[in-house]
Amino acid sequence: SAVISQKPSRDICQRGTSLTIQCQVDSQVTMMFWYRQQPGQSLTLIATANQGSEATYESGFVIDKFPISRPNLTFSTLTVSNMSPEDSSIYLCSVDLFAGTGSTDTQYFGPGTRLTVL
Amino acid sequence: AQKVTQAQTEISVVEKEDVTLDCVYETRDTTYYLFWYKQPPSGELVFLIRRNSFDEQNEISGRYSWNFQKSTSSFNFTITASQVVDSAVYFCALSEAGKLIFGQGTELSVKP
């Protein structure tokens, strides 16, 4: 596996502001992912962040609202822009690690960032 | 479209009981991968197991066991002799082109 950290672990923000969440991995990885987990719900993929190219967003998520940076193979940021109470969620990053011969990579997750928007 | 269904929203058991969490999936792919993750109250997502579609052998890891049946598109998870520390939300997931599709999760509560 890998050691994945996220900052901040939690935050309370005002409506209309923006928050940048950082994700750091202790090894170089090709693919990083950002997920949102709304209260009491499952995880939904926001985007895939590959180093050296623009992030690929899933249906329902746009770059203006969730800009992503991937400056190197161990780091990524997700910004939640112009926040509203509906953005209150846990945001998790994950990385794709090779899990052994003949198998697909396995995603390992960071501890998450709990965001509350007032 | 690919889909994962965890029909059990909440399960409550008493410590030392065995409990099975159900997972049914839909996919048109012939090669695919299934996963189980545990999310304790702290919120982090903990990887438990990965299974590929060519390997229908059941797996056991301590008190945990998994039953994969392609004929019924199911990948069920059994905890034997449950403990209070097993209390968490458990997610089943299916991979699609490297992306994970999660079920809705089953919240397991183990009471002393």
Side-chain angles (χ1 to χ4, degrees), chain A residues 31 33 35 37 41-43 45 48 58 90 92 96 99-100 102-111 114, chain B residues 33 35 37 39-47 50 52 89 91 95 97-105:
Chain A
M31 299 179 74
F33 305 86
Y35 290 82
Q37 185 179 24
Q41 302 296 313
S42 185
L43 284 81
L45 180 64
T48 303
E58 298 300 305
I90 299 175
L92 299 104
D96 212 337
S103 67
T104 191
D105 295 353
T106 294
Q107 285 189 32
Y108 292 90
F109 286 78
R114 290 179 184 268
Chain B
Y33 296 84
F35 302 79
Y37 287 87
Q39 187 175 42
S42 58
E44 63 187 292
L45 216 63
V46 179
F47 166 73
R50 178 194 68 255
N52 74 57
V89 179
F91 290 97
S95 70
K99 297 182 287 189
L100 290 179
I101 299 167
F102 285 87
Q104 287 303 303

mmCIF file of all heavy atoms in Angstrom, chain A residues 31 33 35 37 41-43 45 48 58 90 92 96 99-100 102-111 114, chain B residues 33 35 37 39-47 50 52 89 91 95 97-105:
data_model
loop_
_atom_site.group_PDB
_atom_site.id
_atom_site.type_symbol
_atom_site.label_atom_id
_atom_site.label_comp_id
_atom_site.label_asym_id
_atom_site.label_seq_id
_atom_site.Cartn_x
_atom_site.Cartn_y
_atom_site.Cartn_z
ATOM 1 N N MET A 31 -1.794 7.466 -11.478
ATOM 2 C CA MET A 31 -3.171 7.951 -11.445
ATOM 3 C C MET A 31 -3.586 8.316 -10.023
ATOM 4 O O MET A 31 -3.350 7.574 -9.079
ATOM 5 C CB MET A 31 -4.118 6.896 -12.014
ATOM 6 C CG MET A 31 -3.834 6.548 -13.474
ATOM 7 S SD MET A 31 -4.928 5.278 -14.114
ATOM 8 C CE MET A 31 -6.444 6.219 -14.311
ATOM 9 N N PHE A 33 -7.126 10.015 -7.986
ATOM 10 C CA PHE A 33 -8.558 10.235 -8.165
ATOM 11 C C PHE A 33 -9.090 11.084 -7.017
ATOM 12 O O PHE A 33 -8.599 11.012 -5.901
ATOM 13 C CB PHE A 33 -9.316 8.900 -8.162
ATOM 14 C CG PHE A 33 -8.823 7.899 -9.171
ATOM 15 C CD1 PHE A 33 -7.768 7.049 -8.859
ATOM 16 C CD2 PHE A 33 -9.424 7.787 -10.413
ATOM 17 C CE1 PHE A 33 -7.311 6.112 -9.775
ATOM 18 C CE2 PHE A 33 -8.977 6.848 -11.331
ATOM 19 C CZ PHE A 33 -7.910 6.014 -11.014
ATOM 20 N N TYR A 35 -12.765 11.869 -5.027
ATOM 21 C CA TYR A 35 -14.140 11.422 -4.826
ATOM 22 C C TYR A 35 -14.853 12.363 -3.867
ATOM 23 O O TYR A 35 -14.237 12.991 -3.008
ATOM 24 C CB TYR A 35 -14.173 10.013 -4.208
ATOM 25 C CG TYR A 35 -13.738 8.900 -5.123
ATOM 26 C CD1 TYR A 35 -12.386 8.608 -5.307
ATOM 27 C CD2 TYR A 35 -14.684 8.114 -5.785
ATOM 28 C CE1 TYR A 35 -11.994 7.570 -6.137
ATOM 29 C CE2 TYR A 35 -14.294 7.072 -6.611
ATOM 30 C CZ TYR A 35 -12.949 6.799 -6.777
ATOM 31 O OH TYR A 35 -12.565 5.772 -7.601
ATOM 32 N N GLN A 37 -18.134 12.281 -1.095
ATOM 33 C CA GLN A 37 -19.090 11.457 -0.359
ATOM 34 C C GLN A 37 -20.009 12.382 0.414
ATOM 35 O O GLN A 37 -19.646 12.926 1.463
ATOM 36 C CB GLN A 37 -18.378 10.484 0.580
ATOM 37 C CG GLN A 37 -19.339 9.520 1.271
ATOM 38 C CD GLN A 37 -18.631 8.541 2.176
ATOM 39 O OE1 GLN A 37 -17.531 8.784 2.666
ATOM 40 N NE2 GLN A 37 -19.263 7.394 2.414
ATOM 41 N N GLN A 41 -24.160 9.047 2.104
ATOM 42 C CA GLN A 41 -24.197 8.517 0.742
ATOM 43 C C GLN A 41 -22.929 7.727 0.417
ATOM 44 O O GLN A 41 -21.993 7.657 1.210
ATOM 45 C CB GLN A 41 -24.340 9.668 -0.264
ATOM 46 C CG GLN A 41 -25.568 10.527 -0.054
ATOM 47 C CD GLN A 41 -26.851 9.745 -0.260
ATOM 48 O OE1 GLN A 41 -27.007 9.009 -1.239
ATOM 49 N NE2 GLN A 41 -27.773 9.880 0.673
ATOM 50 N N SER A 42 -22.938 7.164 -0.776
ATOM 51 C CA SER A 42 -21.774 6.430 -1.254
ATOM 52 C C SER A 42 -20.766 7.400 -1.869
ATOM 53 O O SER A 42 -20.955 8.613 -1.857
ATOM 54 C CB SER A 42 -22.229 5.395 -2.280
ATOM 55 O OG SER A 42 -21.146 4.580 -2.674
ATOM 56 N N LEU A 43 -19.692 6.848 -2.396
ATOM 57 C CA LEU A 43 -18.663 7.673 -3.017
ATOM 58 C C LEU A 43 -18.959 7.864 -4.494
ATOM 59 O O LEU A 43 -19.350 6.918 -5.194
ATOM 60 C CB LEU A 43 -17.295 7.009 -2.879
ATOM 61 C CG LEU A 43 -16.639 7.085 -1.505
ATOM 62 C CD1 LEU A 43 -17.211 6.024 -0.577
ATOM 63 C CD2 LEU A 43 -15.133 6.937 -1.620
ATOM 64 N N LEU A 45 -17.129 9.510 -8.004
ATOM 65 C CA LEU A 45 -15.885 10.001 -8.589
ATOM 66 C C LEU A 45 -16.102 11.387 -9.182
ATOM 67 O O LEU A 45 -17.032 11.596 -9.977
ATOM 68 C CB LEU A 45 -15.405 9.037 -9.666
ATOM 69 C CG LEU A 45 -14.113 9.399 -10.392
ATOM 70 C CD1 LEU A 45 -12.926 9.406 -9.426
ATOM 71 C CD2 LEU A 45 -13.844 8.434 -11.540
ATOM 72 N N THR A 48 -10.386 12.239 -12.512
ATOM 73 C CA THR A 48 -9.115 11.526 -12.514
ATOM 74 C C THR A 48 -8.017 12.528 -12.827
ATOM 75 O O THR A 48 -8.119 13.274 -13.816
ATOM 76 C CB THR A 48 -9.114 10.412 -13.573
ATOM 77 O OG1 THR A 48 -10.210 9.529 -13.316
ATOM 78 C CG2 THR A 48 -7.816 9.645 -13.552
ATOM 79 N N GLU A 58 -15.881 13.604 -14.431
ATOM 80 C CA GLU A 58 -17.051 12.766 -14.620
ATOM 81 C C GLU A 58 -18.277 13.631 -14.890
ATOM 82 O O GLU A 58 -18.284 14.841 -14.606
ATOM 83 C CB GLU A 58 -17.279 11.890 -13.381
ATOM 84 C CG GLU A 58 -16.139 10.939 -13.112
ATOM 85 C CD GLU A 58 -15.895 9.972 -14.245
ATOM 86 O OE1 GLU A 58 -16.847 9.256 -14.650
ATOM 87 O OE2 GLU A 58 -14.747 9.917 -14.732
ATOM 88 N N ILE A 90 -17.577 14.723 2.494
ATOM 89 C CA ILE A 90 -16.207 14.263 2.687
ATOM 90 C C ILE A 90 -15.583 14.155 1.302
ATOM 91 O O ILE A 90 -16.182 13.567 0.394
ATOM 92 C CB ILE A 90 -16.149 12.896 3.392
ATOM 93 C CG1 ILE A 90 -16.790 12.965 4.771
ATOM 94 C CG2 ILE A 90 -14.693 12.424 3.508
ATOM 95 C CD1 ILE A 90 -16.881 11.615 5.473
ATOM 96 N N LEU A 92 -12.364 12.723 -0.741
ATOM 97 C CA LEU A 92 -11.284 11.752 -0.592
ATOM 98 C C LEU A 92 -10.456 11.667 -1.862
ATOM 99 O O LEU A 92 -11.011 11.673 -2.964
ATOM 100 C CB LEU A 92 -11.835 10.358 -0.285
ATOM 101 C CG LEU A 92 -12.655 10.188 0.982
ATOM 102 C CD1 LEU A 92 -14.130 10.083 0.654
ATOM 103 C CD2 LEU A 92 -12.213 8.948 1.749
ATOM 104 N N ASP A 96 -3.737 4.835 -7.391
ATOM 105 C CA ASP A 96 -3.802 3.538 -8.042
ATOM 106 C C ASP A 96 -2.432 2.872 -7.904
ATOM 107 O O ASP A 96 -1.458 3.379 -8.437
ATOM 108 C CB ASP A 96 -4.140 3.754 -9.510
ATOM 109 C CG ASP A 96 -4.953 2.637 -10.075
ATOM 110 O OD1 ASP A 96 -4.892 1.534 -9.520
ATOM 111 O OD2 ASP A 96 -5.649 2.873 -11.077
ATOM 112 N N ALA A 99 -0.878 -4.054 -7.792
ATOM 113 C CA ALA A 99 -1.114 -4.964 -6.678
ATOM 114 C C ALA A 99 -0.566 -6.356 -6.933
ATOM 115 O O ALA A 99 -0.846 -7.265 -6.182
ATOM 116 C CB ALA A 99 -2.605 -5.027 -6.401
ATOM 117 N N GLY A 100 0.192 -6.527 -7.981
ATOM 118 C CA GLY A 100 0.752 -7.854 -8.200
ATOM 119 C C GLY A 100 0.520 -8.329 -9.610
ATOM 120 O O GLY A 100 -0.367 -7.855 -10.313
ATOM 121 N N GLY A 102 -0.634 -9.991 -12.911
ATOM 122 C CA GLY A 102 -1.912 -10.518 -13.373
ATOM 123 C C GLY A 102 -3.124 -9.865 -12.758
ATOM 124 O O GLY A 102 -4.239 -10.293 -12.991
ATOM 125 N N SER A 103 -2.929 -8.826 -12.012
ATOM 126 C CA SER A 103 -4.089 -8.191 -11.387
ATOM 127 C C SER A 103 -4.138 -6.721 -11.748
ATOM 128 O O SER A 103 -3.154 -6.146 -12.176
ATOM 129 C CB SER A 103 -4.021 -8.351 -9.873
ATOM 130 O OG SER A 103 -2.944 -7.612 -9.348
ATOM 131 N N THR A 104 -5.285 -6.144 -11.582
ATOM 132 C CA THR A 104 -5.403 -4.719 -11.823
ATOM 133 C C THR A 104 -4.870 -3.962 -10.620
ATOM 134 O O THR A 104 -4.694 -4.515 -9.541
ATOM 135 C CB THR A 104 -6.867 -4.327 -12.066
ATOM 136 O OG1 THR A 104 -6.922 -2.989 -12.547
ATOM 137 C CG2 THR A 104 -7.686 -4.408 -10.793
ATOM 138 N N ASP A 105 -4.634 -2.703 -10.857
ATOM 139 C CA ASP A 105 -4.206 -1.879 -9.740
ATOM 140 C C ASP A 105 -5.326 -1.760 -8.719
ATOM 141 O O ASP A 105 -6.498 -1.905 -9.047
ATOM 142 C CB ASP A 105 -3.812 -0.494 -10.243
ATOM 143 C CG ASP A 105 -2.603 -0.548 -11.152
ATOM 144 O OD1 ASP A 105 -2.010 -1.646 -11.267
ATOM 145 O OD2 ASP A 105 -2.252 0.481 -11.728
ATOM 146 N N THR A 106 -4.952 -1.477 -7.526
ATOM 147 C CA THR A 106 -5.919 -1.287 -6.446
ATOM 148 C C THR A 106 -5.859 0.143 -5.985
ATOM 149 O O THR A 106 -4.785 0.717 -5.859
ATOM 150 C CB THR A 106 -5.607 -2.238 -5.281
ATOM 151 O OG1 THR A 106 -5.823 -3.581 -5.713
ATOM 152 C CG2 THR A 106 -6.483 -1.950 -4.075
ATOM 153 N N GLN A 107 -7.004 0.728 -5.736
ATOM 154 C CA GLN A 107 -7.055 2.091 -5.237
ATOM 155 C C GLN A 107 -6.987 2.104 -3.724
ATOM 156 O O GLN A 107 -7.756 1.418 -3.047
ATOM 157 C CB GLN A 107 -8.321 2.791 -5.714
ATOM 158 C CG GLN A 107 -8.275 3.185 -7.182
ATOM 159 C CD GLN A 107 -9.424 4.066 -7.587
ATOM 160 O OE1 GLN A 107 -9.920 4.867 -6.787
ATOM 161 N NE2 GLN A 107 -9.860 3.924 -8.820
ATOM 162 N N TYR A 108 -6.072 2.918 -3.229
ATOM 163 C CA TYR A 108 -5.957 3.164 -1.799
ATOM 164 C C TYR A 108 -6.340 4.615 -1.536
ATOM 165 O O TYR A 108 -5.995 5.508 -2.315
ATOM 166 C CB TYR A 108 -4.537 2.879 -1.314
ATOM 167 C CG TYR A 108 -4.184 1.413 -1.387
ATOM 168 C CD1 TYR A 108 -3.602 0.883 -2.524
ATOM 169 C CD2 TYR A 108 -4.451 0.558 -0.317
ATOM 170 C CE1 TYR A 108 -3.288 -0.471 -2.613
ATOM 171 C CE2 TYR A 108 -4.142 -0.792 -0.388
ATOM 172 C CZ TYR A 108 -3.565 -1.295 -1.543
ATOM 173 O OH TYR A 108 -3.263 -2.637 -1.614
ATOM 174 N N PHE A 109 -7.024 4.814 -0.424
ATOM 175 C CA PHE A 109 -7.622 6.109 -0.160
ATOM 176 C C PHE A 109 -6.917 6.870 0.956
ATOM 177 O O PHE A 109 -6.388 6.280 1.904
ATOM 178 C CB PHE A 109 -9.097 5.940 0.214
ATOM 179 C CG PHE A 109 -9.969 5.592 -0.960
ATOM 180 C CD1 PHE A 109 -10.011 4.314 -1.464
ATOM 181 C CD2 PHE A 109 -10.732 6.572 -1.572
ATOM 182 C CE1 PHE A 109 -10.803 3.994 -2.561
ATOM 183 C CE2 PHE A 109 -11.532 6.275 -2.667
ATOM 184 C CZ PHE A 109 -11.562 4.983 -3.159
ATOM 185 N N GLY A 110 -6.951 8.195 0.805
ATOM 186 C CA GLY A 110 -6.506 9.052 1.880
ATOM 187 C C GLY A 110 -7.546 9.114 2.988
ATOM 188 O O GLY A 110 -8.647 8.566 2.838
ATOM 189 N N PRO A 111 -7.236 9.790 4.081
ATOM 190 C CA PRO A 111 -8.140 9.828 5.240
ATOM 191 C C PRO A 111 -9.370 10.699 5.041
ATOM 192 O O PRO A 111 -10.290 10.656 5.837
ATOM 193 C CB PRO A 111 -7.260 10.390 6.355
ATOM 194 C CG PRO A 111 -6.222 11.184 5.643
ATOM 195 C CD PRO A 111 -5.966 10.475 4.359
ATOM 196 N N ARG A 114 -13.245 16.477 5.695
ATOM 197 C CA ARG A 114 -14.662 16.742 6.017
ATOM 198 C C ARG A 114 -14.929 18.227 5.885
ATOM 199 O O ARG A 114 -14.383 19.030 6.641
ATOM 200 C CB ARG A 114 -14.985 16.289 7.442
ATOM 201 C CG ARG A 114 -14.983 14.793 7.619
ATOM 202 C CD ARG A 114 -15.289 14.421 9.056
ATOM 203 N NE ARG A 114 -15.215 12.988 9.281
ATOM 204 C CZ ARG A 114 -16.234 12.162 9.185
ATOM 205 N NH1 ARG A 114 -17.422 12.634 8.863
ATOM 206 N NH2 ARG A 114 -16.093 10.863 9.402
ATOM 207 N N TYR B 33 -13.032 -6.478 -12.050
ATOM 208 C CA TYR B 33 -12.491 -6.652 -10.707
ATOM 209 C C TYR B 33 -13.500 -6.132 -9.688
ATOM 210 O O TYR B 33 -14.166 -5.119 -9.918
ATOM 211 C CB TYR B 33 -11.168 -5.905 -10.575
ATOM 212 C CG TYR B 33 -10.102 -6.480 -11.490
ATOM 213 C CD1 TYR B 33 -10.026 -6.088 -12.824
ATOM 214 C CD2 TYR B 33 -9.216 -7.436 -11.025
ATOM 215 C CE1 TYR B 33 -9.081 -6.634 -13.673
ATOM 216 C CE2 TYR B 33 -8.262 -7.980 -11.870
ATOM 217 C CZ TYR B 33 -8.206 -7.580 -13.188
ATOM 218 O OH TYR B 33 -7.268 -8.130 -14.019
ATOM 219 N N PHE B 35 -14.195 -5.304 -5.445
ATOM 220 C CA PHE B 35 -13.495 -4.878 -4.242
ATOM 221 C C PHE B 35 -14.472 -4.761 -3.073
ATOM 222 O O PHE B 35 -15.665 -4.539 -3.262
ATOM 223 C CB PHE B 35 -12.860 -3.491 -4.449
ATOM 224 C CG PHE B 35 -11.889 -3.402 -5.586
ATOM 225 C CD1 PHE B 35 -12.327 -3.283 -6.893
ATOM 226 C CD2 PHE B 35 -10.524 -3.428 -5.335
ATOM 227 C CE1 PHE B 35 -11.431 -3.195 -7.951
ATOM 228 C CE2 PHE B 35 -9.623 -3.338 -6.384
ATOM 229 C CZ PHE B 35 -10.068 -3.217 -7.687
ATOM 230 N N TYR B 37 -14.406 -2.476 0.618
ATOM 231 C CA TYR B 37 -13.747 -1.489 1.457
ATOM 232 C C TYR B 37 -14.548 -1.335 2.745
ATOM 233 O O TYR B 37 -15.765 -1.489 2.756
ATOM 234 C CB TYR B 37 -13.682 -0.126 0.761
ATOM 235 C CG TYR B 37 -12.702 -0.024 -0.374
ATOM 236 C CD1 TYR B 37 -13.076 -0.384 -1.668
ATOM 237 C CD2 TYR B 37 -11.413 0.447 -0.163
ATOM 238 C CE1 TYR B 37 -12.189 -0.272 -2.723
ATOM 239 C CE2 TYR B 37 -10.509 0.558 -1.214
ATOM 240 C CZ TYR B 37 -10.914 0.194 -2.485
ATOM 241 O OH TYR B 37 -10.023 0.306 -3.534
ATOM 242 N N GLN B 39 -15.322 1.417 5.888
ATOM 243 C CA GLN B 39 -15.230 2.811 6.304
ATOM 244 C C GLN B 39 -15.675 2.915 7.754
ATOM 245 O O GLN B 39 -16.860 2.986 8.052
ATOM 246 C CB GLN B 39 -16.080 3.723 5.418
ATOM 247 C CG GLN B 39 -15.870 5.207 5.713
ATOM 248 C CD GLN B 39 -16.629 6.104 4.760
ATOM 249 O OE1 GLN B 39 -17.777 5.855 4.428
ATOM 250 N NE2 GLN B 39 -15.975 7.176 4.307
ATOM 251 N N PRO B 40 -14.728 2.938 8.690
ATOM 252 C CA PRO B 40 -15.084 3.103 10.103
ATOM 253 C C PRO B 40 -15.567 4.524 10.362
ATOM 254 O O PRO B 40 -15.483 5.382 9.473
ATOM 255 C CB PRO B 40 -13.760 2.809 10.827
ATOM 256 C CG PRO B 40 -12.704 3.080 9.815
ATOM 257 C CD PRO B 40 -13.298 2.787 8.469
ATOM 258 N N PRO B 41 -16.067 4.790 11.567
ATOM 259 C CA PRO B 41 -16.579 6.131 11.873
ATOM 260 C C PRO B 41 -15.574 7.259 11.627
ATOM 261 O O PRO B 41 -15.978 8.399 11.394
ATOM 262 C CB PRO B 41 -16.948 6.023 13.352
ATOM 263 C CG PRO B 41 -17.271 4.582 13.537
ATOM 264 C CD PRO B 41 -16.320 3.837 12.650
ATOM 265 N N SER B 42 -14.302 6.960 11.652
ATOM 266 C CA SER B 42 -13.283 7.991 11.402
ATOM 267 C C SER B 42 -13.348 8.518 9.972
ATOM 268 O O SER B 42 -12.843 9.600 9.681
ATOM 269 C CB SER B 42 -11.892 7.438 11.689
ATOM 270 O OG SER B 42 -11.638 6.293 10.880
ATOM 271 N N GLY B 43 -13.942 7.753 9.073
ATOM 272 C CA GLY B 43 -14.152 8.240 7.710
ATOM 273 C C GLY B 43 -13.194 7.722 6.656
ATOM 274 O O GLY B 43 -13.494 7.808 5.467
ATOM 275 N N GLU B 44 -12.052 7.216 7.059
ATOM 276 C CA GLU B 44 -11.123 6.730 6.035
ATOM 277 C C GLU B 44 -11.655 5.458 5.401
ATOM 278 O O GLU B 44 -12.429 4.727 6.010
ATOM 279 C CB GLU B 44 -9.757 6.463 6.666
ATOM 280 C CG GLU B 44 -9.775 5.369 7.716
ATOM 281 C CD GLU B 44 -8.455 5.247 8.422
ATOM 282 O OE1 GLU B 44 -7.482 4.839 7.790
ATOM 283 O OE2 GLU B 44 -8.436 5.564 9.626
ATOM 284 N N LEU B 45 -11.232 5.198 4.196
ATOM 285 C CA LEU B 45 -11.681 4.022 3.466
ATOM 286 C C LEU B 45 -10.541 3.004 3.469
ATOM 287 O O LEU B 45 -9.460 3.279 2.969
ATOM 288 C CB LEU B 45 -12.057 4.405 2.040
ATOM 289 C CG LEU B 45 -13.241 3.686 1.419
ATOM 290 C CD1 LEU B 45 -14.505 3.989 2.203
ATOM 291 C CD2 LEU B 45 -13.418 4.116 -0.022
ATOM 292 N N VAL B 46 -10.810 1.830 4.020
ATOM 293 C CA VAL B 46 -9.780 0.809 4.169
ATOM 294 C C VAL B 46 -10.013 -0.319 3.177
ATOM 295 O O VAL B 46 -11.089 -0.926 3.153
ATOM 296 C CB VAL B 46 -9.784 0.241 5.604
ATOM 297 C CG1 VAL B 46 -8.711 -0.839 5.752
ATOM 298 C CG2 VAL B 46 -9.568 1.351 6.623
ATOM 299 N N PHE B 47 -9.015 -0.605 2.352
ATOM 300 C CA PHE B 47 -9.100 -1.679 1.377
ATOM 301 C C PHE B 47 -9.106 -3.033 2.092
ATOM 302 O O PHE B 47 -8.274 -3.285 2.969
ATOM 303 C CB PHE B 47 -7.909 -1.583 0.425
ATOM 304 C CG PHE B 47 -7.676 -2.804 -0.424
ATOM 305 C CD1 PHE B 47 -8.523 -3.104 -1.472
ATOM 306 C CD2 PHE B 47 -6.614 -3.649 -0.170
ATOM 307 C CE1 PHE B 47 -8.308 -4.223 -2.265
ATOM 308 C CE2 PHE B 47 -6.378 -4.773 -0.943
ATOM 309 C CZ PHE B 47 -7.227 -5.061 -1.996
ATOM 310 N N ARG B 50 -9.502 -7.536 -3.192
ATOM 311 C CA ARG B 50 -9.710 -7.391 -4.625
ATOM 312 C C ARG B 50 -9.841 -8.800 -5.211
ATOM 313 O O ARG B 50 -9.102 -9.700 -4.857
ATOM 314 C CB ARG B 50 -8.534 -6.682 -5.265
ATOM 315 C CG ARG B 50 -8.614 -6.524 -6.775
ATOM 316 C CD ARG B 50 -7.285 -6.118 -7.361
ATOM 317 N NE ARG B 50 -6.326 -7.190 -7.250
ATOM 318 C CZ ARG B 50 -5.338 -7.212 -6.382
ATOM 319 N NH1 ARG B 50 -5.157 -6.218 -5.537
ATOM 320 N NH2 ARG B 50 -4.494 -8.216 -6.356
ATOM 321 N N ASN B 52 -10.506 -10.813 -9.083
ATOM 322 C CA ASN B 52 -10.734 -10.661 -10.518
ATOM 323 C C ASN B 52 -11.755 -11.683 -11.004
ATOM 324 O O ASN B 52 -11.991 -12.704 -10.351
ATOM 325 C CB ASN B 52 -9.425 -10.736 -11.303
ATOM 326 C CG ASN B 52 -8.869 -12.144 -11.386
ATOM 327 O OD1 ASN B 52 -9.551 -13.053 -11.860
ATOM 328 N ND2 ASN B 52 -7.641 -12.320 -10.949
ATOM 329 N N VAL B 89 -19.198 1.139 7.950
ATOM 330 C CA VAL B 89 -19.929 1.019 6.688
ATOM 331 C C VAL B 89 -19.024 0.252 5.722
ATOM 332 O O VAL B 89 -17.844 0.568 5.587
ATOM 333 C CB VAL B 89 -20.291 2.393 6.107
ATOM 334 C CG1 VAL B 89 -21.040 2.217 4.785
ATOM 335 C CG2 VAL B 89 -21.140 3.188 7.093
ATOM 336 N N PHE B 91 -18.370 -1.062 1.841
ATOM 337 C CA PHE B 91 -18.700 -0.785 0.451
ATOM 338 C C PHE B 91 -18.159 -1.881 -0.460
ATOM 339 O O PHE B 91 -17.003 -2.288 -0.338
ATOM 340 C CB PHE B 91 -18.102 0.550 0.005
ATOM 341 C CG PHE B 91 -18.737 1.754 0.627
ATOM 342 C CD1 PHE B 91 -18.168 2.364 1.731
ATOM 343 C CD2 PHE B 91 -19.903 2.291 0.095
ATOM 344 C CE1 PHE B 91 -18.747 3.481 2.307
ATOM 345 C CE2 PHE B 91 -20.496 3.412 0.663
ATOM 346 C CZ PHE B 91 -19.913 4.003 1.766
ATOM 347 N N SER B 95 -14.701 -2.328 -10.720
ATOM 348 C CA SER B 95 -13.822 -1.451 -11.494
ATOM 349 C C SER B 95 -14.283 -1.358 -12.939
ATOM 350 O O SER B 95 -14.746 -2.339 -13.526
ATOM 351 C CB SER B 95 -12.386 -1.965 -11.463
ATOM 352 O OG SER B 95 -12.285 -3.162 -12.208
ATOM 353 N N ALA B 97 -12.564 0.456 -16.288
ATOM 354 C CA ALA B 97 -11.477 1.241 -16.888
ATOM 355 C C ALA B 97 -10.682 1.976 -15.813
ATOM 356 O O ALA B 97 -10.367 3.157 -15.966
ATOM 357 C CB ALA B 97 -12.051 2.232 -17.899
ATOM 358 N N GLY B 98 -10.405 1.270 -14.743
ATOM 359 C CA GLY B 98 -9.594 1.873 -13.693
ATOM 360 C C GLY B 98 -10.372 2.707 -12.702
ATOM 361 O O GLY B 98 -9.833 3.120 -11.681
ATOM 362 N N LYS B 99 -11.636 2.975 -12.992
ATOM 363 C CA LYS B 99 -12.454 3.770 -12.076
ATOM 364 C C LYS B 99 -13.338 2.836 -11.252
ATOM 365 O O LYS B 99 -13.763 1.789 -11.734
ATOM 366 C CB LYS B 99 -13.320 4.742 -12.863
ATOM 367 C CG LYS B 99 -12.516 5.763 -13.641
ATOM 368 C CD LYS B 99 -13.406 6.737 -14.373
ATOM 369 C CE LYS B 99 -14.080 6.118 -15.556
ATOM 370 N NZ LYS B 99 -14.782 7.130 -16.379
ATOM 371 N N LEU B 100 -13.604 3.228 -10.040
ATOM 372 C CA LEU B 100 -14.419 2.403 -9.148
ATOM 373 C C LEU B 100 -15.871 2.877 -9.128
ATOM 374 O O LEU B 100 -16.140 4.068 -9.002
ATOM 375 C CB LEU B 100 -13.861 2.438 -7.735
ATOM 376 C CG LEU B 100 -12.527 1.731 -7.509
ATOM 377 C CD1 LEU B 100 -12.105 1.881 -6.053
ATOM 378 C CD2 LEU B 100 -12.626 0.268 -7.883
ATOM 379 N N ILE B 101 -16.756 1.912 -9.230
ATOM 380 C CA ILE B 101 -18.183 2.173 -9.071
ATOM 381 C C ILE B 101 -18.595 1.520 -7.770
ATOM 382 O O ILE B 101 -18.467 0.301 -7.608
ATOM 383 C CB ILE B 101 -18.985 1.592 -10.244
ATOM 384 C CG1 ILE B 101 -18.546 2.245 -11.550
ATOM 385 C CG2 ILE B 101 -20.485 1.792 -10.027
ATOM 386 C CD1 ILE B 101 -19.052 1.534 -12.769
ATOM 387 N N PHE B 102 -19.085 2.325 -6.851
ATOM 388 C CA PHE B 102 -19.393 1.844 -5.512
ATOM 389 C C PHE B 102 -20.877 1.532 -5.356
ATOM 390 O O PHE B 102 -21.739 2.180 -5.964
ATOM 391 C CB PHE B 102 -19.028 2.906 -4.471
ATOM 392 C CG PHE B 102 -17.560 3.030 -4.218
ATOM 393 C CD1 PHE B 102 -16.775 3.851 -5.003
ATOM 394 C CD2 PHE B 102 -16.957 2.312 -3.194
ATOM 395 C CE1 PHE B 102 -15.402 3.960 -4.769
ATOM 396 C CE2 PHE B 102 -15.602 2.423 -2.953
ATOM 397 C CZ PHE B 102 -14.824 3.246 -3.745
ATOM 398 N N GLY B 103 -21.146 0.538 -4.514
ATOM 399 C CA GLY B 103 -22.510 0.320 -4.061
ATOM 400 C C GLY B 103 -22.856 1.370 -3.018
ATOM 401 O O GLY B 103 -22.026 2.212 -2.654
ATOM 402 N N GLN B 104 -24.083 1.317 -2.522
ATOM 403 C CA GLN B 104 -24.545 2.314 -1.576
ATOM 404 C C GLN B 104 -24.023 2.092 -0.170
ATOM 405 O O GLN B 104 -24.169 2.964 0.687
ATOM 406 C CB GLN B 104 -26.070 2.352 -1.557
ATOM 407 C CG GLN B 104 -26.654 2.988 -2.808
ATOM 408 C CD GLN B 104 -26.133 4.384 -3.026
ATOM 409 O OE1 GLN B 104 -26.258 5.253 -2.169
ATOM 410 N NE2 GLN B 104 -25.510 4.628 -4.173
ATOM 411 N N GLY B 105 -23.431 0.954 0.062
ATOM 412 C CA GLY B 105 -22.863 0.686 1.374
ATOM 413 C C GLY B 105 -23.841 0.022 2.319
ATOM 414 O O GLY B 105 -25.059 0.224 2.224
#
